[in-house]
Amino acid sequence: MPSNILDNLTKIKKLDSQNMLGSLQYLGKQVEQIWQEAQALKVPANYKQINNIVVLGMGGSALGVDIFKVLYKKELKVPVTVVRDYDIPKFVDNKTLIIASSYSGTTEEVLNSVKQAKKKCAKIITISSGSKLASWAKRNKLPSLVFGTENNPSNQPRMGLGYSIVGQLILLSRIGLLKLTNKQVKEIIKVLALYDSKFGVLTPSKENQAKLLAKANIGKSVWYVASEHLLGNIHAAANQMNENAKRFAGYFCLPELNHHLLEGIVFPKTNKSNLLFVLLESKLYHQRNQKRYKITKKVLDKNSIHHFSYSCQEKNELLQVCEILVFTSYVSYYTALLKGIDPSPIPSVDFFKKQMK
């Protein structure tokens, strides 16, 4: 597929059969929608009386916790655990806040683990687009945030992150565990729109870093690197690269990677041609971490490993999270287009689900 497809809206729409582009463009609308839908949610006063938070979720539905537990680590006064499995930890009790998150409302792991949490008298709140999880919560008279999916036309959970990520922030703010104001939500929507204009299809490749990164990663495995408040973003970025672009991708945390990975890039020798590290940098990082990025790039250069750096522009941590979310989402989308791949279908995952039935 020729690289000029990225600047040709007609060709893009022809390949993008389920309108993933619409889901990207409507990210801000997802946030605005779920903020409005959450206003009617009533949460018992005793939900604030907890010793820990456990989030149940799989795939895109669990990405919210990856983001909020690092973004608000200086504000949250209780530990946060994510369960991507069928069973809950033994420590769960009546002082545990359980957030059961399932975009579809049918995720079997979540449905299994939330029932275990109910038996242990945990304080449970659910977030989904409806179906089994919402019905179960209603039967058990538990607070539940149920969102519509009209602003995610591709209907792919990984592209409904405005619902799942901001939705979980809203739940925590309604309980009183962190602060998320109407002003902040408006800022989020504004920033999402700004970077949609910068990284969207109408901005030509030569001025568009998302398109430039997509072209740079042709034929390569992509490994995202971030620190501190952006650690949740790189999990989301890798997931979207896996599913949208059918690309082998993952993520590493800095400074942790400096303590082992630098020795691991030497072999196999094909790393020089097969790997691309994407370094997400921020002036809000600890000064020592900022220095680590400079030295890490020297080590990558020394070993002839390709790398691409993106430096955040926004003024605070929350808005940088939003900036990177738009950037990496578009990168995965453009990477798919460059390979002639329709980004929405996930045939291998669908096959697996059918086999599990």
Side-chain angles (χ1 to χ4, degrees):
M1 184 66 66
S3 60
N4 63 1
I5 187 176
L6 301 187
D7 295 327
N8 190 316
L9 187 57
T10 301
K11 289 182 179 180
I12 287 174
K13 289 185 174 181
K14 186 176 180 180
L15 182 57
D16 181 8
S17 68
Q18 296 180 34
N19 192 20
M20 184 175 284
L21 178 59
S23 295
L24 286 163
Q25 294 171 330
Y26 293 165
L27 190 59
K29 290 185 177 181
Q30 292 175 16
V31 173
E32 184 177 14
Q33 176 196 331
I34 199 166
W35 176 254
Q36 294 300 323
E37 290 172 336
Q39 298 309 305
L41 180 66
K42 296 181 180 179
V43 181
N46 69 345
Y47 269 45
K48 191 175 182 179
Q49 299 167 12
I50 58 168
N51 294 329
N52 52 76
I53 300 169
V54 175
V55 180
L56 316 176
M58 304 298 299
S61 298
L63 294 175
V65 61
D66 287 329
I67 285 177
F68 78 67
K69 73 177 183 180
V70 293
L71 180 60
Y72 291 95
K73 70 178 182 180
K74 296 178 182 178
E75 186 172 336
L76 287 169
K77 296 179 180 179
V78 295
V80 180
T81 303
V82 59
V83 174
R84 293 179 168 94
D85 209 336
Y86 291 92
D87 299 311
I88 60 174
K90 189 174 182 178
F91 64 74
V92 170
D93 58 19
N94 63 351
K95 290 290 187 179
T96 299
L97 172 66
I98 294 283
I99 299 177
S101 175
S102 169
Y103 183 94
S104 67
T106 61
T107 309
E108 64 178 77
E109 296 93 335
V110 174
L111 292 171
N112 189 75
S113 54
V114 75
K115 291 173 184 176
Q116 293 178 7
K118 180 70 169 56
K119 291 180 180 179
K120 300 191 78 171
C121 300
K123 295 175 173 65
I124 300 171
I125 190 165
T126 72
I127 175 171
S128 69
S129 64
S131 194
K132 293 180 180 180
L133 183 59
S135 298
W136 179 86
K138 186 176 182 180
R139 287 197 306 271
N140 287 278
K141 299 180 180 180
L142 296 169
S144 182
L145 177 53
V146 181
F147 54 83
T149 59
E150 58 267 28
N151 286 309
N152 183 16
S154 70
N155 203 33
Q156 297 297 327
R158 63 190 181 276
M159 306 313 295
L161 297 183
Y163 298 134
S164 57
I165 293 175
V166 178
Q168 289 183 27
L169 296 184
I170 292 171
L171 292 182
L172 293 174
S173 70
R174 293 300 302 276
I175 294 169
L177 298 173
L178 58 80
K179 183 180 290 185
L180 184 68
T181 65
N182 186 58
K183 180 181 178 182
Q184 286 177 303
V185 172
K186 288 182 178 179
E187 284 184 324
I188 289 172
I189 294 169
K190 183 178 179 180
V191 165
L192 292 174
L194 171 64
Y195 288 95
D196 183 78
S197 67
K198 287 189 175 186
F199 303 135
V201 294
L202 297 182
T203 301
S205 294
K206 61 182 180 180
E207 303 167 15
N208 190 324
Q209 289 202 64
K211 290 181 179 181
L212 293 174
L213 176 52
K215 291 179 179 181
N217 72 38
I218 291 175
K220 294 179 176 62
S221 175
V222 179
W223 294 89
Y224 285 97
V225 176
S227 306
E228 302 174 40
H229 59 284
L230 296 178
L231 289 177
N233 283 90
I234 54 177
H235 191 164
N239 278 22
Q240 289 184 332
M241 187 67 79
N242 293 156
E243 293 191 86
N244 293 346
K246 316 301 182 273
R247 181 66 57 89
F248 197 93
Y251 59 95
F252 290 102
C253 307
L254 188 151
E256 170 65 18
L257 71 82
N258 295 144
H259 294 267
H260 57 86
L261 183 65
L262 299 182
E263 298 298 340
I265 60 176
V266 178
F267 294 107
K269 289 296 184 181
T270 51
N271 286 345
K272 295 178 181 180
S273 56
N274 292 345
L275 297 184
L276 175 70
F277 282 83
V278 179
L279 309 172
L280 302 179
E281 301 189 57
S282 169
K283 292 181 180 178
L284 301 181
Y285 288 160
H286 190 288
Q287 287 188 347
R288 295 291 289 174
N289 277 337
Q290 292 185 54
K291 183 175 182 179
R292 285 176 178 274
Y293 278 86
K294 295 177 182 179
I295 301 173
T296 297
K297 284 184 279 189
K298 289 182 179 180
V299 176
L300 292 172
D301 287 335
K302 182 180 178 181
N303 288 277
S304 302
I305 303 294
H306 297 279
H307 56 88
F308 184 105
S309 286
Y310 178 85
S311 296
C312 292
Q313 303 299 305
E314 283 305 307
K315 61 185 178 182
N316 65 45
E317 294 179 348
L318 175 60
L319 298 183
Q320 286 190 359
V321 165
C322 297
E323 173 186 350
I324 293 300
L325 184 60
V326 178
F327 173 63
T328 56
S329 295
Y330 267 109
V331 170
S332 69
Y333 181 71
Y334 294 141
T335 301
L337 298 179
L338 286 174
K339 292 293 291 183
I341 294 171
D342 185 346
S344 291
I346 44 174
S348 295
V349 172
D350 289 340
F351 167 80
F352 192 91
K353 288 180 178 179
K354 288 179 181 179
Q355 293 292 305
M356 288 296 290
K357 290 181 181 179

